[in-house]
Amino acid sequence: MRKYIILDTPINDIKKVMIVDIKDEINMFLYNTSDDVPSIGDYSFETLQEAEDFFNKEFSKEKDSKTSWIYVLNPTKGCQEDIIKSVRIKAINTCNPQWGTYEEFVNRKWIDIKF
């Protein structure tokens, strides 16, 4: 399960939060943009409830918030959990991954992309 929310008002420069519940671990990714790009920070939790409680305490400041969670598909195998599109670290499936460089699966081909 992956879901994200765009904050009505940024909090400490955070504009978007994504919660990911995959492989028996819960991660929360933080973004300084609402775009589909790599996160700028993250937290780990033991349970989904802990992640949601943390979100409510730290980021849900507006009582009449109009924002709501948007659910997205889990990432394709080998792809980034914090990016919605099918994006992976270039050469991640080799002995020499190229950290900091990315490629996206488009029209059944991996193409280089930049953020």
Side-chain angles (χ1 to χ4, degrees):
M1 182 276 310
R2 289 193 304 172
K3 63 182 181 177
Y4 72 92
I5 193 167
I6 308 288
L7 302 178
D8 288 337
T9 304
I11 297 174
N12 296 326
D13 294 326
I14 301 302
K15 296 180 179 177
K16 179 172 83 173
V17 176
M18 180 184 287
I19 295 178
V20 178
D21 180 0
I22 300 175
K23 301 180 234 169
D24 297 326
E25 69 179 4
I26 313 299
N27 292 305
M28 178 182 289
F29 296 105
L30 309 176
Y31 305 83
N32 59 359
T33 178
S34 59
D35 297 334
D36 190 19
V37 298
S39 63
I40 61 165
D42 61 271
Y43 292 97
S44 293
F45 301 91
E46 291 186 18
T47 68
L48 181 58
Q49 187 63 53
E50 287 176 351
E52 290 172 342
D53 289 348
F54 180 82
F55 173 83
N56 289 331
K57 179 181 174 204
E58 297 297 322
F59 298 105
S60 186
K61 303 294 185 193
E62 300 176 38
K63 296 284 187 220
D64 298 321
S65 174
K66 294 181 181 166
T67 60
S68 60
W69 291 100
I70 299 167
Y71 289 80
V72 294
L73 296 174
N74 287 341
T76 305
K77 184 178 179 183
C79 290
Q80 297 292 110
E81 290 182 357
D82 64 335
I83 302 174
I84 298 168
K85 295 180 283 187
S86 293
V87 172
R88 68 181 185 185
I89 300 292
K90 189 170 184 173
I92 192 70
N93 57 346
T94 69
C95 294
N96 191 22
Q98 298 176 28
W99 302 108
T101 60
Y102 299 91
E103 51 189 6
E104 180 180 357
F105 197 63
V106 177
N107 295 327
R108 298 185 298 192
K109 294 181 195 174
W110 290 103
I111 60 168
D112 292 346
I113 61 167
K114 293 186 188 222
F115 290 106

